[in-house]
Amino acid sequence: MPYLLAVTVLWAFSFSLIGEYLAGKVDSDFAVLARVAVAALVFLPFTLWRGLPRRLLAGFWLAGALQFGVTYLCLYRSFQVLTVPEVLLFTVLTPIYVTLLDDALARRFSPWALVAALVAVGGGVVIRFERLEGEYLIGFLLLQLANLTFAAGQVLCRQLLLRYPTEQPLHRFFGHFFLGAMVLVLPSFLLFGNPDKLPGTALQWGILLWMGLFATALGLFWWVKGSVKVDAGTLAVMNELHVPAGLVVNLLIWNRDADLPRLALGGAIILASLWLNRLGRRRLATA
């Protein structure tokens, strides 16, 4: 849990930095590529290429391509057809995908975990819901693909680490995750990127460096590391906790308007879902 909470704080700051300094100013494909490249450079000096289960390494390449490649390519493109409130609303379904995919890979069904995920989604909807306007079906589908691949990547990493235990620490092979992401994000920038919208200030370059080092490299490393220390229901709920955290950071630093009663109610519902998931685990253990 401490790893997941630390990453939640990191990502909460990241959303505000992207919105304030990068969105609409720096080419989105380049921003994603820069984050992956910095993260890959962090782990490459420690990366092992032999002596590890082939399925483990192949799985990490696939997880990186899914969780960072497909997810972010779809996410950034959804802004072309959706308003910001609609994007925020459509991302709240991730916990459900996490729960269902983890159960599917483990060949089981955990009703308590699914209920906790649904409650967490309800908390996210309370915080983020806005009336939908205009054409949003394509954007909705793009974001559901992004949610699904983000959930699939983290669940795949979690299951791989549980099924293929190794004496080597995670940092000795986590670089393969970002190499898998690079397979998608580099061609995407070469094909669709706009060279005229590269970072033009030291601040923008600094933010990309910070995002690559902390939010991407350390953030995803700690998230995967923490995912094997909790059950699937807790992991699903933690995918929703960034909602109130991100809004609080945005409110405190940039003093943006926020519906505080809705924020408090939604946050309380998300925290209650953690308690509900723990209650379900206890009942299953004593059954």
Side-chain angles (χ1 to χ4, degrees):
M1 184 73 79
Y3 286 111
L4 301 181
L5 289 173
V7 177
T8 297
V9 174
L10 275 178
W11 288 348
F13 281 93
S14 299
F15 292 137
S16 293
L17 290 173
I18 293 172
E20 291 292 326
Y21 300 110
L22 300 180
K25 302 168 185 174
V26 176
D27 178 70
S28 59
D29 286 301
F30 180 80
V32 176
L33 174 61
R35 292 177 61 176
V36 175
V38 170
L41 289 174
V42 169
F43 285 100
L44 278 180
F46 309 103
T47 300
L48 291 175
W49 300 91
R50 297 180 180 179
L52 292 166
R54 290 184 178 180
R55 291 188 177 182
L56 177 66
L57 295 185
F60 265 74
W61 278 68
L62 176 59
L66 290 172
Q67 191 174 349
F68 212 99
V70 178
T71 295
Y72 280 85
L73 294 176
C74 290
L75 176 64
Y76 281 107
R77 279 154 178 77
S78 70
F79 280 95
Q80 298 176 11
V81 292
L82 293 177
T83 64
V84 172
E86 289 168 349
V87 171
L88 295 176
L89 174 61
F90 292 154
T91 60
V92 300
L93 298 177
T94 304
I96 296 177
Y97 296 134
V98 170
T99 301
L100 295 177
L101 287 171
D102 190 81
D103 281 352
L105 290 178
R107 298 181 181 179
R108 64 164 185 264
F109 176 66
S110 304
W112 280 98
L114 179 58
V115 170
L118 288 170
V119 172
V121 169
V125 171
V126 167
I127 295 172
R128 292 180 162 180
F129 182 77
E130 299 287 345
R131 188 167 63 92
L132 301 178
E133 297 179 354
E135 298 293 332
Y136 56 85
L137 178 60
I138 295 177
F140 174 81
L141 295 176
L142 278 171
L143 277 178
Q144 296 324 298
L145 179 57
N147 294 339
L148 182 61
T149 53
F150 187 75
Q154 58 186 296
V155 169
L156 179 57
C157 284
R158 180 176 185 273
Q159 289 294 331
L160 287 168
L161 292 174
L162 293 175
R163 293 185 183 186
Y164 303 101
T166 174
E167 296 181 356
Q168 296 294 341
L170 180 61
H171 72 272
R172 296 305 305 272
F173 55 91
F174 198 64
H176 293 279
F177 177 94
F178 295 110
L179 293 176
M182 189 69 75
V183 170
L184 288 182
V185 300
L186 178 57
S188 179
F189 171 69
L190 295 176
L191 291 172
F192 307 110
N194 183 358
D196 295 328
K197 295 187 67 175
L198 298 183
T201 67
L203 178 60
Q204 291 173 338
W205 282 108
I207 291 173
L208 286 176
L209 180 61
W210 187 92
M211 295 283 293
L213 178 59
F214 291 100
T216 305
L218 295 181
L220 286 169
F221 176 76
W222 286 340
W223 191 265
V224 171
K225 193 175 181 67
S227 70
V228 297
K229 298 180 181 296
V230 299
D231 62 282
T234 300
L235 179 63
V237 171
M238 292 302 296
N239 272 269
E240 204 69 36
L241 198 59
H242 71 276
V243 180
L247 290 176
V248 167
V249 168
N250 195 259
L251 175 66
L252 293 177
I253 296 180
W254 282 279
N255 196 30
R256 293 298 173 84
D257 294 334
D259 191 331
L260 294 181
R262 283 176 60 178
L263 178 61
L265 177 59
I269 292 173
I270 293 172
L271 292 177
S273 68
L274 285 171
W275 171 83
L276 183 63
N277 180 67
R278 180 171 296 182
L279 175 65
R281 286 164 49 200
R282 289 179 180 175
R283 290 194 174 186
L284 289 175
T286 58

